[in-house]
Amino acid sequence: MRRLSLSSRLALLFAACTAVVSLFAGVLFSRASEAHFVELDQQLLDGKLIGLRRALQDLQSSDSEVKLADELSRQADLSLRITGSDGQRWYDSSPRLPARLPQTPGLSTLTDAGTDYRVLNAPLFPERPDSPQLTLLLDITHHQHFLQRMQHLIWLTVGLSALATALLGAWAARSGLRPLRRMSEVARGVSAQSLNARLPETDMPSELAEMAHHFNAMLGRLDDSFQRLSAFSADIAHELRTPLSNLLTHTQVTLTRPRPIEDYREALHSNLEELQWMAQLVNDMLYLAKADHGLLMPRREPLDLAEEVDVLLEFFAPLAEDARVRLSRDGSARMDGDRSMLRRALSNLLDNALRFAPAEGEVRVRIVEQPDGLRLTVENSGEGIDEALLPRLFDRFYRADPARHEGSNEHAGLGLAITRSIIRAHGGQIRCETDRGWTRFVIELPRGD
């Protein structure tokens, strides 16, 4: 069976709520009306009881029967039965009275032969224990018919109100859910080639405004991801085109004619360098793919960051000496982390800093302990980076240097992306700042257990 639409569900819910409320109100009104009639009958019978007792004060008097008939004639739907203390029937004002009547004192209700009675039992002489009993019967059939008609009217009102509410609820729900249909139309038009559609947040109801905002934000993220994916594919082709072309050209030229064995060996060595660079590029891409899927699981071991940084500075010291760049480290801290991964991340940052530090410049590493973790900065002097480029520094294959060397076997533009993945795998964050001739990469890491 086809599932009910949201509009139909709301309409049925409105109808059910209206029916329940109408039924509840009708039942309360019916009970209140019945209680009101009982109260009126009680007052009427109490008044008649006083008059009948007055008329029957002296049963032996000659005019007692006249007084009794006169009292009963004032209320056409009132009947009377008098019984002795021994239960013997003394008097019936009407021959159609039921043979058996309730004997319990007070007010009660009786139905006999299609006629409804309100029955009141009371002693003729309340102060005497052997007093005859008076049983007053008030015909309330018209009251009961009124209550029955009212109940039928209540059920009719409940049904009509439920139907009317269902129709109006369906219209209201359909009108109120128009923004959702608009969202559905926008979602139906979204594709990889069309991610620029957005919902008008200002026209949305308050209940859907937040959903529309998050929906637009999701489209923005998808658009950005597709743009990055397209750029990533283009960058891969860009990076691999030149080395593959070099391999093909070099191999074809080598095979054009017979050559000495030394020429073949030299060609193989040249091809090997290109293949090693391409293999490293593929490994880096696989590493980033694992990071994107949360598959980088760093080992946790106690590390002294000062010692780790000193080892790397010693490794880069010959390069710094050739470039006439001073290396320094300040501060120390301990943390739990993966030694090889953190060394790789710091190596990328130091290599990047040495490449862009000018002659007679400086590269500094600072380690600062903080209450909730530690802060490590790698900074180099020299020309700063345009602030507009800072958000893209960690993108894959991105180079801030506009003089991009196509197919270069060095620095494919994945180092900073790998560094960010490693830092995030350790639960930290990394950002780049530039200020007063210094470029600074700031890493904030938790201290660990």
Side-chain angles (χ1 to χ4, degrees):
M1 294 180 64
R2 184 178 178 182
R3 293 184 178 180
L4 289 176
S5 65
L6 187 58
S7 299
S8 300
R9 294 182 184 183
L10 289 175
L12 292 177
L13 182 61
F14 291 153
C17 292
T18 302
V20 170
V21 172
S22 301
L23 183 60
F24 182 72
V27 170
L28 286 181
F29 182 74
S30 178
R31 295 288 177 84
S33 300
E34 186 175 358
H36 177 67
F37 283 131
V38 170
E39 184 179 358
L40 291 178
D41 295 340
Q42 179 77 56
Q43 293 176 357
L44 176 63
L45 292 175
D46 287 342
K48 291 299 180 180
L49 179 62
I50 295 174
L52 290 172
R53 281 174 174 172
R54 188 183 306 116
L56 296 173
Q57 283 295 327
D58 188 2
L59 292 176
Q60 304 300 324
S61 63
S62 58
D63 60 345
S64 60
E65 187 173 350
V66 176
K67 292 180 180 179
L68 179 62
D70 180 65
E71 188 69 29
L72 292 174
S73 64
R74 298 178 184 178
Q75 189 75 33
D77 52 359
L78 181 66
S79 302
L80 173 65
R81 171 173 291 178
I82 303 175
T83 56
S85 59
D86 57 355
Q88 292 294 322
R89 187 183 307 174
W90 288 5
Y91 174 78
D92 276 347
S93 63
S94 172
R96 296 190 302 271
L97 291 181
R100 298 175 64 91
L101 295 178
Q103 300 299 317
T104 57
L107 193 68
S108 59
T109 302
L110 172 67
T111 300
D112 181 75
T115 303
D116 297 313
Y117 298 96
R118 198 82 70 195
V119 181
L120 177 64
N121 285 311
L124 175 59
F125 306 109
E127 66 280 0
R128 290 168 50 181
D130 58 345
S131 169
Q133 295 295 314
L134 300 181
T135 302
L136 283 74
L137 292 90
L138 181 65
D139 189 347
I140 59 170
T141 304
H142 59 289
H143 292 173
Q144 299 300 98
H145 288 170
F146 171 79
L147 291 175
Q148 291 175 0
R149 288 195 301 271
M150 187 176 64
Q151 290 175 355
H152 294 160
L153 182 61
I154 289 174
W155 284 110
L156 180 62
T157 303
V158 169
L160 292 178
S161 61
L163 178 61
T165 305
L167 296 176
L168 293 175
W171 173 80
R174 184 172 180 81
S175 300
L177 295 177
R178 188 176 294 114
L180 286 180
R181 291 196 297 274
R182 172 61 179 160
M183 294 178 68
S184 177
E185 293 173 1
V186 172
R188 188 164 50 246
V190 171
S191 64
Q193 292 76 28
S194 175
L195 289 171
N196 55 356
R198 296 294 184 272
L199 290 175
E201 298 181 24
T202 55
D203 298 335
M204 289 288 177
S206 58
E207 294 83 0
L208 297 178
E210 184 177 0
M211 181 186 296
H213 174 73
H214 291 304
F215 186 80
N216 289 338
M218 178 192 69
L219 290 178
R221 291 192 298 270
L222 287 176
D223 190 16
D224 182 68
S225 298
F226 273 102
Q227 294 291 340
R228 290 176 180 270
L229 181 61
S230 299
F232 183 57
S233 301
D235 287 333
I236 291 176
H238 185 87
E239 295 294 334
L240 295 178
R241 180 178 59 186
T242 299
L244 286 173
S245 178
N246 292 340
L247 285 171
L248 289 172
T249 302
H250 199 186
T251 303
Q252 289 171 351
V253 170
T254 302
L255 295 176
T256 53
R257 59 182 177 85
R259 299 177 184 276
I261 191 65
E262 291 79 8
D263 292 345
Y264 287 115
R265 182 177 287 110
E266 182 180 353
L268 290 175
H269 277 294
S270 177
N271 290 351
L272 179 61
E273 291 178 359
E274 297 285 352
L275 290 171
Q276 286 176 337
W277 179 82
M278 292 172 63
Q280 183 60 41
L281 178 63
V282 172
N283 288 333
D284 290 344
M285 290 165 55
L286 291 175
Y287 192 88
L288 289 172
K290 290 176 61 178
D292 289 343
H293 291 82
L295 300 178
L296 287 185
M297 304 298 294
R299 294 175 298 173
R300 298 291 178 176
E301 54 183 317
L303 298 177
D304 188 328
L305 283 182
E307 294 181 2
E308 301 300 325
V309 171
D310 289 342
V311 171
L312 294 175
L313 292 180
E314 184 178 355
F315 175 80
F316 282 101
L319 294 177
E321 185 177 352
D322 292 341
R324 293 180 296 167
V325 175
R326 296 186 301 277
L327 299 176
S328 64
R329 187 265 305 166
D330 181 33
S332 63
R334 301 188 66 85
M335 67 166 291
D336 293 338
D338 191 300
R339 175 178 282 106
S340 61
M341 293 174 67
L342 289 175
R343 282 189 178 183
R344 182 175 185 178
L346 294 175
S347 296
N348 290 337
L349 294 179
L350 289 172
D351 178 68
N352 190 71
L354 284 173
R355 283 193 296 115
F356 290 99
E360 306 300 333
E362 185 178 0
V363 173
R364 298 186 302 209
V365 180
R366 297 179 183 271
I367 305 172
V368 180
E369 291 193 81
Q370 296 177 331
D372 56 347
L374 58 93
R375 174 183 171 133
L376 187 148
T377 62
V378 179
E379 53 188 3
N380 65 275
S381 60
E383 185 178 355
I385 303 175
D386 186 357
E387 291 188 2
L389 303 178
L390 293 180
R392 296 199 59 195
L393 285 181
F394 297 95
D395 292 350
R396 300 170 187 181
F397 298 111
Y398 181 76
R399 296 185 179 92
D401 185 1
R404 175 172 176 159
H405 301 289
E406 186 174 319
S408 172
N409 283 359
E410 296 181 353
H411 314 299
L414 296 177
L416 291 180
I418 292 175
T419 299
R420 181 176 62 177
S421 299
I422 292 174
I423 298 303
R424 287 182 173 177
H426 282 78
Q429 296 293 330
I430 183 172
R431 65 180 184 275
C432 182
E433 303 171 351
T434 180
D435 180 39
R436 300 178 183 178
W438 285 86
T439 300
R440 182 179 303 107
F441 285 88
V442 182
I443 300 175
E444 293 181 345
L445 288 167
R447 192 183 306 277
D449 297 333

